[in-house]
């Protein structure tokens, strides 16, 4: 399988002109770095689809979309203390959803691994509210589009961003066709993502949360993948694996308290790739979420893409590892999640 990246320089235009961790530089540095990387020649670059509001209405309420447009029309503002809207943010957020749709199309129909390098990010945005730097839920809109237009049925969402994707969880909470799996620092923003949050109604059991203490590194993330995600994926039998790929669990991230290194992101990608080969026909579909240390973001995304391309190069490993208390706590959480989800 090839690897396709979806990007538009217009993604840099969502910009309040202030110092903010979710800055246009994140993507500018990332894309420049990838274009100069040793495997640049192997990557296909695709433009986002130009979509209209209809696509958003499968996930978001009309009143929230109108609110976003009104903010943008009035020159921008703040949805909460972290989440800005600039004059063109509605258009750019719509183009971000179009990037996610283009990427899922490439994974599902053209059978490439795909990664949408977009901003603003999406996993904190729920049906009726933007939050945590997120305006529209890119991954959820893309999944709904695929289900509606191409007969895509079951999707496994793997959210390895540092934070819990409360928006994505809420959108699919009662839906057994989308299994939402998240590992995240806890307690931490946004406060959701407890083990007991497992879905509702027909969706009961189709939300899997692994809340982790601060201070986890590669080994803990890989252990959660091996002990929880792999059995969950085999039981669910997804048609497509979608990744909310945030990189704020990187050891140098200014927001997070985890120590994941590019090596860890590469290894998590390898596990997803093996699952994908066993269970799915298309490629893996990934969407960028957080990640606020520019060098850490680039090195980590390179590790993911290298793994997807089967190009193994020496990956940077962090020096800090979890202490015994943290590791013990992680083991307890893993047991708790496996018990609650009857994973034996
Ligand atoms: Zn995050």
């Amino acid at each position: 399988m090839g690897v396709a990246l979806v990007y538009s320089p217009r993604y840099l235009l969502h910009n309040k002109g202030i110092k903010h961790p979710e800055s246009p530089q994140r993507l500018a540095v990332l894309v420049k770095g990838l274009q100069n990387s040793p495997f640049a020649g192997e990557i296909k670059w695709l433009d986002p689809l130009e979509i209209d509001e209809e696509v958003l209405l499968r996930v978001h309420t009309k009143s929230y979309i109108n609110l976003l447009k009104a903010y943008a029309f009035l020159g921008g503002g703040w949805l909460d203390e972290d989440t800005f809207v600039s004059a063109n943010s509605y258009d750019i957020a719509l183009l971000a959803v179009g990037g996610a749709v283009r990427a899922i199309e490439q994974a599902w129909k053209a059978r490439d691994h795909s990664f949408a390098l977009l901003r603003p990010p999406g996993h904190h945005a729920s049906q009726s509210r933007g939050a945590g730097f997120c305006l529209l839920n890119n991954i959820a809109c893309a999944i709904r589009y695929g289900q509606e237009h191409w007969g895509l049925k079951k999707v496994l969402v793997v959210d390895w961003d540092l934070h819990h994707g409360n928006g994505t969880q809420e959108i699919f909470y009662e839906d057994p066709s989308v299994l939402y799996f998240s590992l995240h620092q806890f307690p931490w923003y946004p406060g959701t993502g407890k083990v007991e949050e497992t879905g509702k109604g027909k969706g009961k059991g189709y939300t899997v949360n692994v809340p982790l203490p601060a201070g986890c590194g590669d080994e803990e993330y890989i252990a959660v993948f091996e002990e929880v995600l792999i059995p969950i994926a085999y039981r669910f039998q997804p048609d497509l694996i979608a990744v909310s790929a945030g990189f704020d669990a990187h050891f140098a991230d200014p927001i997070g308290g985890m120590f994941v290194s590019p090596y860890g992101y590469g290894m998590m990608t390898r596990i997803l790739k093996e699952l994908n080969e066993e269970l799915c026909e298309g490629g893996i579909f990934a969407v960028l979420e957080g990640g606020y240390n520019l060098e850490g973001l680039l090195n980590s995304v390179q590790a993911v893409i290298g793994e997807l391309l089967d190009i193994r190069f020496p990956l940077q490993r962090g020096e800090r590892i979890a202490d015994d208390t943290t590791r013990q706590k992680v083991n307890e959480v893993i047991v708790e999640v496996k018990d609650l989800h009857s994973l034996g």
Side-chain angles (χ1 to χ4, degrees):
M1 281 179 187
V3 171
L5 303 183
V6 181
Y7 172 71
S8 166
R10 288 171 64 202
Y11 291 149
L12 309 183
L13 301 175
H14 166 65
N15 185 2
K16 197 89 178 129
I18 49 158
K19 199 166 153 40
H20 193 285
E22 205 292 281
S23 68
Q25 284 70 40
R26 294 176 62 230
L27 272 192
V29 168
L30 178 56
V31 167
K32 189 161 184 251
L34 292 173
Q35 285 166 341
N36 291 316
S37 74
F39 47 75
E42 311 288 320
I43 299 170
K44 297 174 205 175
W45 290 88
L46 304 173
D47 292 323
L49 275 191
E50 300 283 345
I51 56 159
D52 58 35
E53 190 183 305
E54 277 300 300
V55 177
L56 310 183
L57 287 167
R58 301 288 171 261
V59 167
H60 296 287
T61 62
K62 180 81 181 162
S63 59
Y64 173 56
I65 294 168
N66 285 341
L67 177 81
L68 261 190
K69 283 184 185 169
Y71 264 86
F73 180 76
L74 296 169
W78 292 83
L79 296 184
D80 63 23
E81 60 189 9
D82 304 318
T83 313
F84 66 85
V85 179
S86 59
N88 44 20
S89 288
Y90 174 75
D91 294 336
I92 304 309
L94 188 66
L95 193 69
V97 172
V101 172
R102 184 68 191 87
I104 199 173
E105 180 182 38
Q106 193 69 14
W108 179 244
K109 295 171 81 177
R111 302 187 175 187
D112 279 327
H113 298 304
S114 69
F115 197 156
L117 304 175
L118 52 78
R119 53 184 295 280
H123 74 154
H124 296 305
S126 65
Q127 293 94 328
S128 57
R129 205 169 75 94
F133 315 164
C134 302
L135 302 184
L136 298 170
N137 197 308
N138 307 305
I139 200 165
C141 291
I143 290 167
R144 283 287 185 245
Y145 189 93
Q147 288 182 319
E148 189 171 341
H149 289 83
W150 311 315
L152 173 60
K153 291 190 176 73
K154 292 198 284 179
V155 180
L156 169 64
V157 178
V158 177
D159 188 335
W160 75 38
D161 188 275
L162 173 88
H163 302 95
H164 180 241
N166 56 318
T168 312
Q169 169 171 302
E170 192 178 316
I171 289 162
F172 297 119
Y173 208 55
E174 298 186 45
D175 184 347
S177 75
V178 178
L179 192 153
Y180 177 71
F181 171 93
S182 175
L183 65 175
H184 42 269
Q185 185 173 329
F186 189 90
W188 201 240
Y189 181 86
T192 48
K194 298 191 180 78
V195 177
E196 309 83 64
E197 295 165 29
T198 59
K200 195 178 153 195
K202 284 185 180 159
K204 189 84 186 161
Y206 293 89
T207 293
V208 180
N209 282 304
V210 188
L212 299 173
C216 293
D218 297 341
E219 282 183 34
E220 289 68 39
Y221 272 68
I222 292 165
V224 170
F225 266 47
E226 286 179 341
E227 294 185 45
V228 184
L229 178 63
I230 291 176
I232 286 278
Y234 273 96
R235 188 166 75 189
F236 181 58
Q237 299 276 316
D239 300 309
L240 183 90
I241 297 173
V243 189
S244 257
F247 297 90
D248 33 11
H250 184 277
F251 61 81
D253 196 273
I255 287 181
M258 299 299 198
F259 316 133
V260 179
S261 68
Y263 171 82
Y265 288 112
M267 289 303 110
M268 288 193 281
T269 305
R270 187 173 300 179
I271 292 172
L272 292 184
K273 229 175 87 180
E274 286 164 3
L275 284 174
N276 190 66
E277 274 162 27
E278 290 289 324
L279 299 170
C280 306
E281 285 171 16
I284 293 169
F285 154 59
V287 170
L288 185 65
E289 302 285 358
Y292 306 102
N293 175 275
L294 300 183
E295 195 188 340
L297 176 62
L298 172 60
N299 290 339
S300 302
V301 172
Q302 272 183 327
V304 170
I305 294 173
E307 189 60 42
L308 290 175
L309 282 167
D310 271 324
I311 298 172
R312 303 264 159 88
F313 58 97
L315 293 175
Q316 187 191 14
R317 289 184 87 147
E319 284 161 18
R320 288 180 74 175
I321 55 164
D323 59 34
D324 291 346
T325 320
T326 305
R327 182 62 211 215
Q328 180 59 32
K329 177 85 181 96
V330 171
N331 290 342
E332 287 165 17
V333 172
I334 289 175
V335 168
E336 201 186 336
V337 176
K338 286 174 79 167
D339 277 354
L340 195 62
H341 288 274
S342 313
L343 292 171

